Amino acid sequence: MTKNLRVKSSEYIDETNRISFKFNGKIYHGFKGDTLASALLANDVHLVGRSFKYHRPRGIMTSGSEEPNAIVQINPGTNRTEPNVRATEVEIYEGLEASSQNCWPSVEFDIGGINNFLSPFFPAGFYYKTFMWPASFWEKYEFFIRHSAGLGKSPTSSDPDIYDHRNVHCDVLVVGAGISGIMAAKNAAKNNFKTLLVEEKNELGGSTIFENNEFNKIDNKSPSEWLKKEIEELKSIKNLEIKTRTSVAAYHQYNYLLARENLTDHLEAKDKINKIRQRLLKIRAKKVILATGALERPLIFNNNDRPGIMLSSAVKKYSEFFGVACGSKNIFFTNNDSAYEGALSLFNKGINVEAIIDIREQSESKIVKKVKEAGIKIYWSHSIVDTTGYKRLNSVSIMKLSNDGTSVTGNKISISCDCLGVAGGWTPAVHLYTQSGSKLKFDEEKKVFLPNKNTSEQISIGSCNGDFKLDEIFNNIKKKIKEMLNINITDFDNIKVENDQENSKRNIWLLPSDKTLGKTKPFVDYQNDATAKDIKLALREGFRSIEHVKRYTTTGMGTDQGKLGNMHALGIIADTAGVKMGELGTTTFRPPYTPLTFGTIVGRNVGKFFDIFRRTPMNDWHVENKAEFENVGQWKRAWYYPINGETMHQAVQRESKAARESAGILDASTLGKIDIQGSDASEFLNRVYTNAWSKLAIGKCRYGLMLNEDGMVYDDGVTTRLGENHYIMSTTTGGAANVLGKLEDYLQTEWPELDVYLTSVTDHYATVSLCGPNSKKILKKIIPDLDLSDENFPHMSFKETNIGNIQCRIMRISFTGEHSYEINVQASYGKDLWEKCMQAGNEFNITPYGTETMHLLRAEKGFIIVGQDTDGTMTPIDLQMDWIVSKKKYDFIGKRSLYRSDTMREDRKQLVGLLTDDPNIILEEGAQIVSKLNQNPVEMLGHVTSSYFSPNLNKSIALAVVRGGKDMMGKKLFVPMEDKNINVTVANPVFYDEKNERLNA
Amino acid sequence: MFLINCPYCGERDQQEFKAGGEAHIERPKQPTELSDDEWAEYLFMRKNIKGVQFERWNHAHGCRKWFNMVRDTSSDEIKAIYKMGEKPPSQ
Ligand SMILES: [Zn+2]
């Protein structure tokens, strides 16, 4: 049976509620209120993981989110498993399972531990230097690295939980519910500010709630007693919302903050079902009050990472808050008075404190006197030079520090112990502050970075502002809150505060050892195994910028972002390089402050909501008729309709033949449609298209090409004149939104004098394209009254009519080269119209075809697809479409660019047709084209943009862009592929019906 | 994430907006009369200032209106917002 180190009953631990959980397969017990860390410590388990590089045994070091070592895999092997979770933040529940990470085969015997003995060969930059060369060895290295490294395992089945996002607006957001945050929230809410108080832990009160220093008093009460009363009062305050288990992950500009609210992680599996697990709060706050507290610093000395070595504040919290002794023979190591509070806390509970090792020469504060009176041995001016104990600390060796603190002298004394509380002073938690873009300054005396210049309406109060003493905290809060909230009095104006600490501190960033630095392991970043030695090596190798040293040594690059050791890294760099810390700057603290789950980030946008699809009104018909779909922008378009187990190729060949031989039907609803009205509509079209529009008669259609101002083809489509001042423009499916945006831009900013109004009507209409020699007969069956003769309804014209009671617009236009009609009806009638056409076309074997056949048919005609045959570098001239560029018009978008020396070069890539010498070989789209084989370097002339096997021509056809292609008609070129060279001949891009006879067939 | 005060709609989240590059670059009235260099100046050259910059923004997922913004690109502070056609505030 393991030892029970529960030493006192705590009001935060419910000892009537015993909870069993598993750690590394073994069953342990704790109580409601325990974290995984406190419950393990109560069972005398310190060893919880292995370090990243050297696989050194590591124990629980802290009691909060800054924990670098105790990161565990929660519920391994289940669909709720989560890696990289800090044991110090996990609230235990019945059935919880957790396991160590980064160890194989087990945390007790880890094969990677061998790296520790090889560590002279693993200096900073080892991975960069070693695994770069020879390149062919990478696979071997990778195997080794992947097998022995890595933090945790991601789940392999889908997440059963629900996640949520919520927008939150408030007048005042208070981050952190320690004493400062509670005071601020109370005053803000009482003064009618809509206030939100968020706290990452499940209890309010921060560290003051278990404050035991008898020399600190608020209103003549102990701080914890006073604060409990304040917290009680919060419950009755209106305007105040409190969210616990809510951690602010990011603080962006304009007081926009992201916080993760944890709703079910502390519940048993059966209670998690059908509940939102985590919610991302997107908070817009008018004012932000940061009360994020401070993190205790460790001290950097040889072998400072053994299980059992913890922060002194953590030792104190486990004792006072959780009622757990972290060891039975405790030592504290300190450079300030904080450790004395921890020592007294243990002493008062009858737990053995062997000694306090203090690098200062002395301290006269009341609490130090109290410790002396208690008979605890204090070693002044001493430093720890080494520690022993592989899986658990068992002794420390101490020596006297020289006056300048750079060396140790005298005899080495060894003291046995099983827990060491380390107190290196405090670092204000300014992470969120800096994320907001606000700037820090370095306080040379306190050796801390403090908030300096705010970029938004925000204040920092309490220890995150560098105020560590109660009187400082109170005075600054009162002052700052009055200023920010514009109020004259606070609840705390007349409260008397007493405190003790004299705050003397001796700061030595890297403590000396009797061994040379090269023979020691003073860890700065525990999670990434970066030592002071690595940092010094980086400086010797010429790195100067803190950002570079950080990346080279990986200091601060773990999942904890080096919350504990970053200051020491900076200090060591400053000392070594002989510069002031303030001048060095700090590394950037990036969001999230603590890791977020992917679930929280994506919220409800999973499954079918991950990427929203647009579907046409005829979609159900396509689905029922077994269409395969293709994604075009956000649209799901019918791609082809295989029957009787056809392959895509077979289906497309059949559809293409049918459309030319009898009748085909295509769902063209996705084409962009912009309604253009206004007295200057014609002039507007003149300016945006390359061709002329003023003379287009009402009821006629015209194809238009739109350029960018740089002369490159941007979009194309047919526009129809519906009335004197009324047009409907069609755009490409993918370009619809951008074209509208571009046109609006010109209208609003360049040509505000034009009377033109644009409305997107893409979704309002369903469009059926009916094509083929029998399309006319089919349409006639549907609309018997309409005169379909070439005289009354010629190619490129428009009719507005009715099908039964349904109003429709019909354009006789063609993208296939066949006689065809585009019938537009109100979207909700789309499927009905489609079915009518299918029925009427039945006797003509009407064949539905998808986008692939559409592409094939237009390629036979040499019609371009913007975005496939063009790529933003093609002018209309490059496309051999000179005919559509008006020479008469004074100006249109992109016109001037067509006369730039570069766009007029003869050797630009130009669109041509390509025919393979062997008509059965189909070129690959994207394949490169060359004129000579076995050239070195190869001169690439261009590439294939569209390629198909044409069933109507019974040969393969392709479109390509080729440098100088315009003048290469009939020239033999090559398309070199991996396994063969394909011989091709440059041809006219119009492969089929060059004279357009079929349009009127 | 900026909070942008659309002159037509009021304060809205940045994700409703699209940035449209440098402001007050007028499209030449007679492009054909410009030399290649002059046209290139209009077409390609943008200042990309570190500091106070005049920009075009569009309330793309809102009223679709274009407007101008004065923004300090180093601090992202929005110093002024004004409608198209209005005079920029003097610095
Ligand atoms: Zn707006």
Side-chain angles (χ1 to χ4, degrees), chain A residues 252-254 256 284 709-710 744-746 748-750 758 890-893 896-897 899-901, chain B residues 1-3 13 27 30-36 39 42-43 56 64-66 76-78 84:
Chain A
H252 297 294
Q253 303 143 319
Y254 294 84
Y256 180 66
R284 282 274 183 198
E709 205 67 274
D710 61 7
E744 274 288 353
D745 187 354
Y746 275 90
Q748 289 181 35
T749 67
E750 298 293 352
L758 306 175
Y890 180 72
D891 192 14
F892 55 82
I893 297 172
R896 175 61 185 84
S897 291
Y899 302 96
R900 292 178 58 234
S901 53
Chain B
M1 196 75 83
F2 305 169
L3 193 61
D13 192 280
R27 187 173 187 272
Q30 296 173 317
T32 44
E33 280 157 36
L34 301 183
S35 69
D36 268 12
W39 180 246
Y42 158 73
L43 196 56
R56 287 151 28 93
R64 277 170 42 194
K65 282 284 195 183
W66 284 88
D76 277 334
E77 188 196 341
I78 297 171
M84 280 292 156

Side-chain angles (χ1 to χ4, degrees), chain A residues 286-530:
Chain A
K286 294 208 173 86
K287 301 165 195 290
V288 174
I289 299 178
L290 293 173
T292 46
L295 303 175
E296 190 168 41
R297 291 178 191 168
L299 290 164
I300 310 302
F301 53 96
N302 185 22
N303 286 322
N304 58 346
D305 66 326
R306 298 189 189 283
I309 300 181
M310 305 172 71
L311 294 180
S312 113
S313 58
V315 173
K316 179 179 153 191
K317 180 164 185 182
Y318 286 117
S319 149
E320 290 290 330
F321 189 90
F322 295 103
V324 173
C326 294
S328 40
K329 284 198 296 188
N330 298 281
I331 291 182
F332 286 88
F333 183 27
T334 188
N335 68 2
N336 69 93
D337 281 352
S338 306
Y340 293 80
E341 289 182 6
L344 270 182
S345 166
L346 297 187
F347 178 82
N348 289 339
K349 287 173 195 64
I351 307 163
N352 187 16
V353 179
E354 296 283 319
I356 297 182
I357 297 142
D358 197 323
I359 67 171
R360 297 176 298 177
E361 278 156 27
Q362 57 161 5
S363 168
E364 293 303 322
S365 60
K366 289 180 198 163
I367 193 160
V368 171
K369 282 198 187 113
K370 182 96 184 171
V371 167
K372 281 182 191 160
E373 281 162 27
I376 297 171
K377 169 91 178 140
I378 305 173
Y379 292 91
W380 296 105
S381 292
H382 272 72
S383 180
I384 294 179
V385 295
D386 202 356
T387 64
T388 62
Y390 186 55
K391 290 178 202 165
R392 176 75 184 266
L393 178 72
N394 59 34
S395 83
V396 300
S397 311
I398 66 169
M399 288 175 78
K400 189 135 178 62
L401 261 178
S402 65
N403 286 342
D404 65 359
T406 59
S407 59
V408 283
T409 57
N411 294 330
K412 202 189 296 193
I413 308 166
S414 177
I415 313 170
S416 80
C417 58
D418 59 2
C419 178
L420 175 69
V422 180
W426 295 84
T427 300
V430 293
H431 310 73
L432 292 176
Y433 177 80
T434 58
Q435 280 181 22
S436 76
S438 297
K439 296 282 178 267
L440 300 169
K441 63 163 189 260
F442 189 69
D443 183 320
E444 283 291 345
E445 195 197 311
K446 287 182 176 170
K447 299 280 180 213
V448 290
F449 282 99
L450 294 179
N452 187 29
K453 249 176 91 183
N454 299 348
T455 53
S456 61
E457 197 166 348
Q458 57 168 302
I459 52 172
S460 294
I461 56 171
S463 54
C464 73
N465 189 46
D467 301 334
F468 299 114
K469 289 193 281 185
L470 277 176
D471 54 352
E472 282 177 341
I473 293 173
F474 266 71
N475 287 337
N476 274 332
I477 289 179
K478 284 186 284 191
K479 191 172 131 250
K480 288 187 154 189
I481 287 197
K482 282 177 184 171
E483 236 169 70
M484 173 180 251
L485 304 181
N486 199 17
I487 53 175
N488 295 322
I489 46 167
T490 73
D491 279 15
F492 312 109
D493 287 355
N494 300 314
I495 288 182
K496 206 174 118 216
V497 174
E498 297 165 51
N499 46 246
D500 165 44
Q501 289 139 297
E502 62 161 33
N503 263 1
S504 81
K505 186 179 167 183
R506 183 181 188 189
N507 202 73
I508 302 174
W509 294 115
L510 170 59
L511 290 157
S513 168
D514 54 331
K515 293 182 191 153
T516 59
L517 182 64
K519 294 216 158 73
T520 64
K521 283 213 179 66
F523 286 92
V524 175
D525 181 322
Y526 301 85
Q527 197 177 97
N528 272 351
D529 273 347

Side-chain angles (χ1 to χ4, degrees), chain B residues 6 8-9 59 63:
Chain B
C6 170
Y8 305 92
C9 308
H59 195 182
C63 62

Side-chain angles (χ1 to χ4, degrees), chain A residues 755-773:
Chain A
D755 173 41
V756 177
Y757 299 89
L758 306 175
T759 312
S760 165
V761 292
T762 306
D763 293 336
H764 304 57
Y765 289 96
T767 308
V768 171
S769 175
L770 208 52
C771 96

Side-chain angles (χ1 to χ4, degrees), chain A residues 95 212 283 294 319 373 391 441 453 542 594 686 839 915:
Chain A
N212 63 347
I283 308 169
S319 149
E373 281 162 27
K391 290 178 202 165
K441 63 163 189 260
K453 249 176 91 183
T594 51
N686 262 336
Q839 210 178 353
L915 290 172

